[in-house]
Protein backbone atom coordinates (compact mmCIF):
# COMPACT_ATOMS: atom_id res chain seq x y z
CA UNK A 1 0.00 0.00 0.00
CA UNK A 2 1.31 3.42 -0.93
CA UNK A 3 -0.01 6.85 -0.05
CA UNK A 4 -0.32 8.58 -3.39
CA UNK A 5 -0.91 12.30 -3.63
CA UNK A 6 -2.37 13.01 -7.06
CA UNK A 7 -2.12 16.47 -8.58
CA UNK A 8 -4.54 17.12 -11.41
CA UNK A 9 -3.93 20.05 -13.76
CA UNK A 10 -6.09 21.57 -16.51
CA UNK A 11 -6.48 19.49 -19.64
CA UNK A 12 -8.95 17.27 -21.43
CA UNK A 13 -7.12 14.25 -20.00
CA UNK A 14 -8.16 15.25 -16.44
CA UNK A 15 -11.00 12.71 -16.68
CA UNK A 16 -8.40 9.93 -17.06
CA UNK A 17 -7.16 10.77 -13.57
CA UNK A 18 -10.45 9.28 -12.34
CA UNK A 19 -9.49 5.96 -13.94
CA UNK A 20 -6.03 6.13 -12.43
CA UNK A 21 -7.55 6.62 -8.97
CA UNK A 22 -9.99 3.73 -9.43
CA UNK A 23 -7.15 1.48 -10.44
CA UNK A 24 -4.95 2.58 -7.56
CA UNK A 25 -7.70 2.28 -4.95
CA UNK A 26 -8.44 -1.22 -6.23
CA UNK A 27 -4.78 -2.03 -5.79
CA UNK A 28 -5.07 -1.13 -2.10
CA UNK A 29 -3.47 2.31 -2.30
CA UNK A 30 -4.58 5.36 -0.36
CA UNK A 31 -5.08 8.59 -2.34
CA UNK A 32 -5.60 12.30 -1.88
CA UNK A 33 -6.13 14.77 -4.71
CA UNK A 34 -5.04 18.37 -5.28
CA UNK A 35 -6.59 20.14 -8.28
CA UNK A 36 -5.68 23.36 -10.03
CA UNK A 37 -8.44 25.86 -10.80
CA UNK A 38 -8.34 25.08 -14.52
CA UNK A 39 -8.64 21.33 -13.97
CA UNK A 40 -11.99 21.91 -12.28
CA UNK A 41 -13.35 23.15 -15.60
CA UNK A 42 -12.83 19.61 -16.91
CA UNK A 43 -13.67 17.46 -13.85
CA UNK A 44 -15.24 18.66 -10.60
CA UNK A 45 -13.76 18.06 -7.18
CA UNK A 46 -16.84 16.07 -6.13
CA UNK A 47 -15.92 13.25 -8.53
CA UNK A 48 -12.41 12.93 -7.10
CA UNK A 49 -13.71 13.17 -3.52
CA UNK A 50 -16.23 10.40 -4.18
CA UNK A 51 -13.74 7.89 -5.51
CA UNK A 52 -10.88 8.66 -3.11
CA UNK A 53 -13.17 8.88 -0.08
CA UNK A 54 -11.30 12.03 1.01
CA UNK A 55 -11.67 15.79 0.58
CA UNK A 56 -10.06 17.36 -2.49
CA UNK A 57 -7.90 20.45 -2.05
CA UNK A 58 -8.12 23.18 -4.66
CA UNK A 59 -7.02 26.40 -2.96
CA UNK A 60 -4.29 27.51 -0.58
CA UNK A 61 -6.91 29.39 1.40
CA UNK A 62 -9.31 26.59 2.24
CA UNK A 63 -9.02 24.37 5.31
CA UNK A 64 -8.59 20.67 4.80
CA UNK A 65 -11.20 18.80 6.86
CA UNK A 66 -8.84 15.79 6.93
CA UNK A 67 -5.93 18.02 8.12
CA UNK A 68 -3.47 16.51 5.67
CA UNK A 69 -4.24 12.88 6.57
CA UNK A 70 -4.71 10.19 3.93
CA UNK A 71 -7.85 8.01 4.07
CA UNK A 72 -5.95 5.27 5.95
CA UNK A 73 -4.62 7.70 8.59
CA UNK A 74 -6.29 9.21 11.64
CA UNK A 75 -7.00 12.94 11.42
CA UNK A 76 -4.36 14.71 13.53
CA UNK A 77 -5.47 16.80 16.51
CA UNK A 78 -3.51 19.86 15.43
CA UNK A 79 -4.41 21.82 12.33
CA UNK A 80 -1.33 21.69 10.08
CA UNK A 81 -0.72 23.54 6.84
CA UNK A 82 -2.59 21.04 4.77
CA UNK A 83 -0.52 20.85 1.60
CA UNK A 84 2.71 20.55 3.59
CA UNK A 85 1.17 17.82 5.70
CA UNK A 86 -0.10 16.06 2.58
CA UNK A 87 3.33 15.90 0.94
CA UNK A 88 4.87 14.80 4.23
CA UNK A 89 2.40 11.96 4.51
CA UNK A 90 2.63 10.97 0.84
CA UNK A 91 4.90 8.20 -0.42
CA UNK A 92 4.88 9.87 -3.80
CA UNK A 93 3.37 12.88 -5.53
CA UNK A 94 2.02 12.12 -8.98
CA UNK A 95 0.96 14.94 -11.29
CA UNK A 96 -1.32 13.47 -13.94
CA UNK A 97 -2.20 14.98 -16.26
CA UNK A 98 0.56 17.59 -16.10
CA UNK A 99 -0.03 20.54 -18.43
CA UNK A 100 2.78 22.40 -20.24
CA UNK A 101 2.12 25.36 -17.94
CA UNK A 102 2.51 23.31 -14.74
CA UNK A 103 5.63 21.59 -16.08
CA UNK A 104 7.14 25.03 -16.78
CA UNK A 105 6.29 26.15 -13.23
CA UNK A 106 7.79 22.99 -11.72
CA UNK A 107 10.95 23.45 -13.76
CA UNK A 108 11.43 26.99 -12.52
CA UNK A 109 10.30 26.56 -8.93
CA UNK A 110 7.12 28.62 -9.14
CA UNK A 111 4.65 28.10 -6.33
CA UNK A 112 1.64 30.14 -7.38
CA UNK A 113 -1.08 27.63 -6.53
CA UNK A 114 -1.67 24.79 -4.12
CA UNK A 115 -0.40 22.11 -6.49
CA UNK A 116 2.90 23.81 -7.36
CA UNK A 117 3.48 24.85 -3.72
CA UNK A 118 3.00 21.25 -2.63
CA UNK A 119 5.38 20.06 -5.37
CA UNK A 120 8.04 22.50 -4.22
CA UNK A 121 7.72 21.30 -0.62
CA UNK A 122 7.68 17.60 -1.51
CA UNK A 123 10.59 15.47 -0.40
CA UNK A 124 8.90 12.27 -1.59
CA UNK A 125 9.43 11.05 -5.18
CA UNK A 126 7.74 13.25 -7.79
CA UNK A 127 6.21 11.59 -10.86
CA UNK A 128 4.98 13.73 -13.74
CA UNK A 129 2.73 12.42 -16.51
CA UNK A 130 2.40 15.14 -19.18
CA UNK A 131 -0.60 15.47 -21.47
CA UNK A 132 -1.04 18.20 -24.07
CA UNK A 133 -1.23 19.01 -27.73
CA UNK A 134 1.71 17.49 -29.65
CA UNK A 135 3.05 20.87 -30.76
CA UNK A 136 3.12 22.05 -27.17
CA UNK A 137 4.79 18.80 -26.06
CA UNK A 138 7.42 18.99 -28.79
CA UNK A 139 8.12 22.71 -28.34
CA UNK A 140 11.71 23.50 -27.35
CA UNK A 141 10.47 25.14 -24.13
CA UNK A 142 8.57 22.05 -22.93
CA UNK A 143 11.41 19.76 -23.96
CA UNK A 144 13.90 21.89 -22.03
CA UNK A 145 11.60 22.04 -19.00
CA UNK A 146 11.09 18.27 -18.87
CA UNK A 147 14.85 17.79 -19.20
CA UNK A 148 15.34 20.06 -16.20
CA UNK A 149 12.89 17.93 -14.22
CA UNK A 150 14.55 14.67 -15.26
CA UNK A 151 17.86 16.15 -14.16
CA UNK A 152 16.39 16.52 -10.66
CA UNK A 153 15.48 12.83 -10.54
CA UNK A 154 11.81 13.57 -11.20
CA UNK A 155 10.20 10.73 -13.13
CA UNK A 156 8.57 11.79 -16.39
CA UNK A 157 6.11 9.29 -17.82
CA UNK A 158 6.24 10.16 -21.49
CA UNK A 159 2.93 10.78 -23.20
CA UNK A 160 1.73 8.31 -25.79
CA UNK A 161 1.31 8.79 -29.53
CA UNK A 162 -2.24 8.75 -30.88
CA UNK A 163 -5.20 10.90 -31.77
CA UNK A 164 -5.36 14.06 -29.70
CA UNK A 165 -8.21 16.09 -28.24
CA UNK A 166 -8.41 18.62 -31.06
CA UNK A 167 -10.12 17.25 -34.15
CA UNK A 168 -7.94 15.55 -36.78
CA UNK A 169 -4.81 16.04 -34.70
CA UNK A 170 -2.57 13.08 -34.18
CA UNK A 171 0.80 12.89 -32.48
CA UNK A 172 2.63 12.56 -29.19
CA UNK A 173 0.87 14.13 -26.23
CA UNK A 174 -1.80 11.70 -24.99
CA UNK A 175 -1.66 10.96 -21.29
CA UNK A 176 -0.03 7.58 -20.61
CA UNK A 177 -2.47 4.80 -19.74
CA UNK A 178 -3.53 4.72 -16.07
CA UNK A 179 -2.01 1.24 -15.72
CA UNK A 180 1.30 2.51 -17.12
CA UNK A 181 1.27 5.36 -14.60
CA UNK A 182 0.37 3.02 -11.72
CA UNK A 183 3.10 0.58 -12.72
CA UNK A 184 5.62 3.44 -12.66
CA UNK A 185 4.37 4.46 -9.20
CA UNK A 186 4.68 0.93 -7.87
CA UNK A 187 8.17 0.61 -9.24
CA UNK A 188 9.24 3.75 -7.42
CA UNK A 189 7.33 3.03 -4.20
CA UNK A 190 7.15 -0.77 -4.22
CA UNK A 191 4.35 -1.92 -1.90
CA UNK A 192 4.82 1.16 0.25
CA UNK A 193 8.37 0.31 1.27
CA UNK A 194 10.48 3.25 2.26
CA UNK A 195 14.25 3.53 2.34
CA UNK A 196 14.55 3.92 6.11
CA UNK A 197 11.95 1.29 7.07
CA UNK A 198 12.95 -0.27 10.38
CA UNK A 199 15.62 2.33 11.15
CA UNK A 200 15.29 3.85 14.63
CA UNK A 201 16.11 7.52 14.79
CA UNK A 202 16.48 9.63 17.93
CA UNK A 203 16.32 13.41 17.50
CA UNK A 204 16.84 16.10 20.12
CA UNK A 205 15.25 19.46 19.37
CA UNK A 206 14.67 22.87 20.90
CA UNK A 207 16.49 24.66 23.68
CA UNK A 208 16.80 23.72 27.33
CA UNK A 209 15.74 26.03 30.17
CA UNK A 210 17.73 26.18 33.38
CA UNK A 211 15.72 27.37 36.37
CA UNK A 212 16.94 30.41 38.30
CA UNK A 213 13.91 30.37 40.57
CA UNK A 214 10.31 29.15 40.34
CA UNK A 215 9.48 31.49 37.44
CA UNK A 216 12.73 32.50 35.73
CA UNK A 217 15.17 30.55 33.65
CA UNK A 218 18.34 30.83 31.59
CA UNK A 219 17.42 29.79 28.06
CA UNK A 220 18.38 30.19 24.43
CA UNK A 221 16.74 31.12 21.15
CA UNK A 222 16.43 27.64 19.64
CA UNK A 223 12.90 27.09 18.26
CA UNK A 224 13.24 23.37 17.57
CA UNK A 225 12.40 23.85 13.87
CA UNK A 226 15.57 22.18 12.60
CA UNK A 227 15.14 19.17 14.89
CA UNK A 228 11.48 18.81 14.01
CA UNK A 229 12.28 19.06 10.29
CA UNK A 230 14.88 16.30 10.68
CA UNK A 231 12.36 14.14 12.52
CA UNK A 232 9.76 14.65 9.81
CA UNK A 233 12.25 13.96 7.03
CA UNK A 234 13.36 10.73 8.74
CA UNK A 235 9.75 9.63 9.34
CA UNK A 236 8.95 10.32 5.68
CA UNK A 237 11.72 7.87 4.78
CA UNK A 238 10.04 5.23 6.91
CA UNK A 239 12.11 5.49 10.11
CA UNK A 240 10.66 5.01 13.57
CA UNK A 241 11.37 8.40 15.09
CA UNK A 242 11.50 9.63 18.69
CA UNK A 243 12.04 13.30 19.40
CA UNK A 244 13.25 14.61 22.74
CA UNK A 245 11.73 18.08 22.58
CA UNK A 246 13.08 20.78 24.85
CA UNK A 247 10.44 23.52 25.08
CA UNK A 248 9.27 23.30 21.47
CA UNK A 249 5.99 24.93 20.53
CA UNK A 250 5.51 23.53 17.03
CA UNK A 251 2.93 21.20 15.44
CA UNK A 252 3.43 17.52 16.16
CA UNK A 253 3.39 14.73 13.61
CA UNK A 254 1.11 11.72 14.08
CA UNK A 255 3.84 9.22 13.12
CA UNK A 256 6.48 10.55 15.52
CA UNK A 257 6.85 9.98 19.29
CA UNK A 258 7.71 12.99 21.41
CA UNK A 259 9.26 13.17 24.88
CA UNK A 260 8.99 16.67 26.32
CA UNK A 261 11.79 17.90 28.56
CA UNK A 262 12.71 21.23 30.08
CA UNK A 263 16.26 21.35 31.41
CA UNK A 264 19.63 19.98 30.31
CA UNK A 265 19.40 17.43 33.13
CA UNK A 266 15.95 16.26 31.89
CA UNK A 267 17.30 15.97 28.37
CA UNK A 268 20.34 14.06 29.61
CA UNK A 269 18.09 11.52 31.39
CA UNK A 270 15.74 11.06 28.44
CA UNK A 271 18.62 10.71 25.98
CA UNK A 272 20.36 8.15 28.21
CA UNK A 273 17.15 6.07 28.26
CA UNK A 274 16.56 6.23 24.52
CA UNK A 275 20.07 6.11 23.10
CA UNK A 276 20.78 2.37 23.23
CA UNK A 277 17.66 1.69 21.13
CA UNK A 278 18.54 4.00 18.25
CA UNK A 279 20.54 3.50 15.07
CA UNK A 280 20.98 7.20 14.42
CA UNK A 281 21.16 10.14 16.82
CA UNK A 282 20.52 13.63 15.45
CA UNK A 283 21.51 15.94 18.29
CA UNK A 284 19.96 19.22 17.15
CA UNK A 285 18.96 20.55 20.58
CA UNK A 286 20.71 23.59 22.01
CA UNK A 287 21.67 22.18 25.39
CA UNK A 288 22.71 24.63 28.11
CA UNK A 289 26.40 24.41 28.93
CA UNK A 290 25.84 25.96 32.36
CA UNK A 291 23.03 25.83 34.92
CA UNK A 292 22.27 27.51 38.25
CA UNK A 293 23.12 24.73 40.71
CA UNK A 294 20.56 25.68 43.38
CA UNK A 295 17.49 27.37 41.89
CA UNK A 296 15.47 29.33 44.46
CA UNK A 297 12.29 27.43 45.37
CA UNK A 298 10.06 30.53 45.20
CA UNK A 299 10.29 33.77 43.22
CA UNK A 300 13.42 35.76 43.96
CA UNK A 301 12.59 39.23 45.30
CA UNK A 302 14.44 42.42 44.43
CA UNK A 303 14.68 43.20 48.14
CA UNK A 304 16.47 46.45 47.37
CA UNK A 305 19.56 44.64 45.95
CA UNK A 306 21.73 46.86 43.73
CA UNK A 307 22.52 43.82 41.52
CA UNK A 308 22.08 40.09 41.43
CA UNK A 309 24.93 37.72 40.80
CA UNK A 310 24.19 34.34 39.25
CA UNK A 311 26.67 31.53 39.62
CA UNK A 312 26.37 28.83 36.97
CA UNK A 313 27.88 25.36 37.06
CA UNK A 314 28.75 23.30 33.97
CA UNK A 315 26.23 20.72 32.76
CA UNK A 316 27.10 17.31 31.32
CA UNK A 317 28.00 17.32 27.65
CA UNK A 318 25.24 14.89 26.71
CA UNK A 319 26.50 14.19 23.20
CA UNK A 320 30.08 13.56 24.29
CA UNK A 321 28.80 11.25 27.03
CA UNK A 322 26.61 9.25 24.63
CA UNK A 323 29.49 9.03 22.18
CA UNK A 324 31.58 7.29 24.86
CA UNK A 325 29.10 4.41 25.05
CA UNK A 326 28.10 4.19 21.38
CA UNK A 327 28.15 0.93 19.50
CA UNK A 328 29.98 0.65 16.19
CA UNK A 329 26.75 0.40 14.25
CA UNK A 330 25.29 3.62 15.66
CA UNK A 331 25.69 6.92 13.86
CA UNK A 332 25.98 10.23 15.73
CA UNK A 333 25.32 13.63 14.22
CA UNK A 334 26.05 16.76 16.22
CA UNK A 335 25.11 20.38 15.55
CA UNK A 336 27.13 23.47 16.29
CA UNK A 337 26.07 27.08 16.14
CA UNK A 338 29.25 29.04 15.43
CA UNK A 339 30.05 32.64 14.59
CA UNK A 340 32.18 33.98 11.76
CA UNK A 341 34.92 32.85 9.41
CA UNK A 342 36.30 30.08 11.64
CA UNK A 343 32.91 28.37 11.96
CA UNK A 344 33.73 25.29 9.87
CA UNK A 345 37.18 24.90 11.38
CA UNK A 346 35.67 24.99 14.88
CA UNK A 347 33.13 22.41 13.70
CA UNK A 348 35.90 20.10 12.55
CA UNK A 349 37.49 20.30 15.99
CA UNK A 350 34.15 19.44 17.65
CA UNK A 351 33.59 16.52 15.29
CA UNK A 352 36.83 14.94 16.43
CA UNK A 353 36.53 15.94 20.10
CA UNK A 354 33.06 14.42 20.48
CA UNK A 355 33.72 11.33 18.34
CA UNK A 356 30.96 12.12 15.84
CA UNK A 357 30.22 10.87 12.35
CA UNK A 358 28.91 14.21 11.08
CA UNK A 359 28.76 17.69 12.49
CA UNK A 360 26.34 20.25 11.10
CA UNK A 361 27.80 23.72 11.37
CA UNK A 362 25.39 26.59 11.39
CA UNK A 363 27.06 29.97 11.02
CA UNK A 364 24.78 32.08 13.21
CA UNK A 365 26.39 35.31 12.04
CA UNK A 366 24.64 34.85 8.63
CA UNK A 367 21.33 36.71 8.45
CA UNK A 368 17.92 35.08 7.86
CA UNK A 369 19.06 31.64 8.98
CA UNK A 370 19.48 29.77 12.23
CA UNK A 371 17.53 29.72 15.45
CA UNK A 372 14.12 31.31 14.91
CA UNK A 373 14.08 31.24 11.12
CA UNK A 374 12.30 28.70 8.92
CA UNK A 375 15.35 28.51 6.68
CA UNK A 376 18.88 27.51 7.36
CA UNK A 377 22.28 27.42 5.70
CA UNK A 378 24.73 24.84 7.00
CA UNK A 379 27.98 23.06 6.31
CA UNK A 380 27.97 19.30 6.81
CA UNK A 381 31.38 18.41 8.20
CA UNK A 382 32.70 14.86 8.12
CA UNK A 383 36.24 13.63 8.46
CA UNK A 384 36.32 13.09 4.70
CA UNK A 385 35.30 16.62 3.75
CA UNK A 386 32.67 19.31 3.98
CA UNK A 387 29.46 19.91 2.09
CA UNK A 388 27.95 23.39 2.06
CA UNK A 389 24.14 23.44 1.91
CA UNK A 390 23.00 26.88 0.69
CA UNK A 391 20.14 28.72 2.38
CA UNK A 392 16.93 26.74 2.05
CA UNK A 393 13.84 25.73 4.00
CA UNK A 394 14.79 23.67 7.06
CA UNK A 395 13.01 20.63 5.62
CA UNK A 396 15.20 20.83 2.51
CA UNK A 397 18.30 21.18 4.69
CA UNK A 398 17.08 18.25 6.83
CA UNK A 399 16.86 16.05 3.75
CA UNK A 400 20.37 17.06 2.69
CA UNK A 401 21.60 16.02 6.14
CA UNK A 402 19.81 12.66 5.88
CA UNK A 403 21.28 12.19 2.40
CA UNK A 404 24.73 12.75 3.90
CA UNK A 405 23.95 10.11 6.54
CA UNK A 406 22.95 7.72 3.74
CA UNK A 407 26.15 8.41 1.80
CA UNK A 408 28.27 7.77 4.87
CA UNK A 409 26.39 4.56 5.67
CA UNK A 410 26.86 3.45 2.06
CA UNK A 411 30.60 4.15 2.17
CA UNK A 412 30.90 2.19 5.41
CA UNK A 413 28.91 -0.73 4.08
CA UNK A 414 31.20 -0.89 1.07
CA UNK A 415 34.26 -0.62 3.35
CA UNK A 416 35.48 2.62 1.77
CA UNK A 417 35.92 4.31 5.16
CA UNK A 418 36.04 3.25 8.76
CA UNK A 419 33.84 4.41 11.63
CA UNK A 420 35.04 7.41 13.60
CA UNK A 421 34.92 5.26 16.75
CA UNK A 422 37.45 2.85 15.18
CA UNK A 423 40.15 5.47 15.12
N1 LIG B 1 25.68 19.40 23.44
C1 LIG B 1 25.33 18.47 24.39
N2 LIG B 1 25.39 18.77 25.72
C2 LIG B 1 25.78 20.01 26.12
C3 LIG B 1 26.14 20.96 25.15
C4 LIG B 1 26.09 20.63 23.81
O1 LIG B 1 24.97 17.35 24.03
N3 LIG B 1 25.82 20.28 27.40
C5 LIG B 1 25.61 19.01 22.01
C6 LIG B 1 24.67 19.86 21.20
O2 LIG B 1 23.39 19.27 21.16
C7 LIG B 1 25.31 19.85 19.82
C8 LIG B 1 26.77 19.69 20.11
O3 LIG B 1 26.87 19.22 21.45
O4 LIG B 1 24.88 18.76 19.04
C9 LIG B 1 27.58 20.94 19.99
O5 LIG B 1 27.03 21.93 20.81
P1 LIG B 1 27.78 23.30 21.08
O6 LIG B 1 27.08 24.03 22.15
O7 LIG B 1 28.02 24.01 19.80
O8 LIG B 1 29.17 22.77 21.55
P2 LIG B 1 29.92 22.82 22.88
O9 LIG B 1 30.68 21.55 22.94
O10 LIG B 1 29.00 23.11 24.01
O11 LIG B 1 30.94 23.99 22.63
P3 LIG B 1 30.84 25.59 22.84
O12 LIG B 1 31.89 25.88 23.81
O13 LIG B 1 31.13 26.13 21.48
O14 LIG B 1 29.46 25.91 23.32
Amino acid sequence: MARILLGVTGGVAAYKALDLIRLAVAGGHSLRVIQTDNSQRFVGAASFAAITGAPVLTSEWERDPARGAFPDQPTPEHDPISHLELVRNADCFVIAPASANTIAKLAHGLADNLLTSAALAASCPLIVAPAMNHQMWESPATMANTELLRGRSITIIDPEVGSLASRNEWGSGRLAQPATILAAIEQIVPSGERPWDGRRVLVTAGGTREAIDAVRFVGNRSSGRMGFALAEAAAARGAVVTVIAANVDLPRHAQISYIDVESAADLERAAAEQFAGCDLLLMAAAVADFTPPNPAPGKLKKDGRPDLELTLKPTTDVLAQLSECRSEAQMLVGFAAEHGPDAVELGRTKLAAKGLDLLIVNDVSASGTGFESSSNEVTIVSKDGDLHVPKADKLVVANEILNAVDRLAGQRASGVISQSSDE
Side-chain angles (χ1 to χ4, degrees):
M1 193 278 286
R3 293 193 184 115
I4 303 168
L5 178 60
L6 180 64
V8 182
T9 74
V12 179
Y15 74 93
K16 292 189 187 169
L18 293 169
D19 292 340
L20 172 61
I21 296 170
R22 279 197 196 92
L23 202 64
V25 170
H29 301 296
S30 181
L31 283 97
R32 289 288 310 263
V33 171
I34 291 179
Q35 281 192 266
T36 61
D37 283 340
N38 282 342
S39 79
Q40 293 171 72
R41 293 172 180 258
F42 296 93
V43 181
S47 301
F48 289 113
I51 56 172
T52 56
V56 172
L57 297 190
T58 54
S59 152
E60 284 157 292
W61 307 111
E62 71 184 340
R63 289 169 86 92
D64 175 15
R67 296 179 168 181
F70 275 70
D72 63 297
Q73 291 179 302
T75 306
E77 272 167 27
H78 66 283
D79 198 354
I81 299 174
S82 47
H83 67 283
L84 297 182
E85 193 68 2
L86 271 178
V87 290
R88 260 175 224 142
N89 286 331
D91 293 310
C92 62
F93 187 12
V94 183
I95 303 176
S99 64
N101 188 36
T102 291
I103 289 172
K105 290 181 194 175
L106 296 177
H108 298 285
L110 270 71
D112 64 343
N113 62 31
L114 189 68
L115 189 150
T116 48
S117 302
L120 206 56
S123 55
C124 59
L126 202 56
I127 300 168
V128 174
M132 64 197 76
N133 172 275
H134 69 110
Q135 278 169 324
M136 291 171 79
W137 171 244
E138 285 156 7
S139 77
T142 305
M143 289 291 109
N145 289 335
T146 45
E147 272 323 296
L148 271 177
L149 297 183
R150 284 187 226 271
R152 290 180 207 147
S153 303
I154 292 170
T155 303
I156 307 289
I157 305 177
D158 281 330
E160 295 177 354
V161 178
S163 61
L164 301 171
S166 42
R167 208 180 326 165
N168 298 332
E169 288 239 43
W170 194 91
S172 175
R174 280 165 62 101
L175 181 70
Q177 292 300 314
T180 309
I181 300 174
L182 187 60
I185 295 169
E186 288 181 336
Q187 212 181 355
I188 290 165
V189 194
S191 58
E193 274 174 34
R194 298 196 248 181
W196 284 24
D197 275 344
R199 199 177 289 194
R200 297 157 305 167
V201 176
L202 180 62
V203 181
T204 68
T208 60
R209 290 178 182 176
E210 309 305 311
I212 297 170
D213 63 14
V215 294
R216 301 180 181 95
F217 58 82
V218 182
N220 60 69
R221 293 186 193 280
S222 177
S223 64
R225 279 181 217 284
M226 193 63 234
F228 271 38
L230 285 160
E232 282 160 25
R237 292 174 187 222
V240 176
V241 183
T242 302
V243 178
I244 301 175
N247 312 297
V248 183
D249 183 21
L250 290 173
R252 309 268 158 133
H253 200 280
Q255 270 87 48
I256 297 173
S257 310
Y258 297 88
I259 301 170
D260 285 291
V261 296
E262 192 165 329
S263 66
D266 297 341
L267 187 142
E268 182 188 348
R269 265 190 301 276
E273 275 167 24
Q274 298 295 320
F275 181 63
C278 81
D279 304 307
L280 168 66
L281 170 67
L282 298 162
M283 192 78 184
V287 187
D289 290 324
F290 293 92
T291 188
N294 302 305
K299 185 180 170 215
L300 281 175
K301 291 284 175 202
K302 286 194 283 294
D303 283 340
R305 303 177 220 244
D307 50 25
L308 174 67
E309 214 164 275
L310 266 186
T311 304
L312 305 174
K313 291 273 189 291
T315 57
T316 308
D317 187 322
V318 182
L319 185 55
Q321 183 169 271
L322 295 175
S323 172
E324 303 252 302
C325 61
R326 64 179 282 175
S327 76
E328 277 194 21
Q330 286 178 308
M331 235 193 238
L332 272 64
V333 179
F335 290 73
E338 304 288 359
H339 265 273
D342 297 335
V344 173
E345 204 44 55
L346 289 168
R348 234 173 256 131
T349 311
K350 272 184 198 171
L351 177 86
K354 300 199 187 196
L356 307 177
D357 300 288
L358 296 174
L359 189 98
I360 315 305
V361 177
N362 179 4
D363 182 349
V364 283
S365 53
S367 66
T369 61
F371 284 146
E372 283 151 342
S373 165
S374 61
S375 26
N376 210 357
E377 178 177 349
V378 302
T379 302
I380 303 174
V381 175
S382 76
K383 69 181 169 59
D384 296 302
D386 310 332
L387 174 71
H388 181 73
V389 181
K391 187 175 167 188
D393 185 271
K394 283 184 174 167
L395 198 56
V396 174
V397 175
N399 273 304
E400 286 298 330
I401 293 169
L402 300 192
N403 291 343
V405 168
D406 266 342
R407 278 194 296 277
L408 197 57
Q411 286 166 343
R412 283 202 186 141
S414 61
V416 176
I417 54 165
S418 62
Q419 307 229 351
S420 56
S421 57
D422 292 342
E423 293 175 330

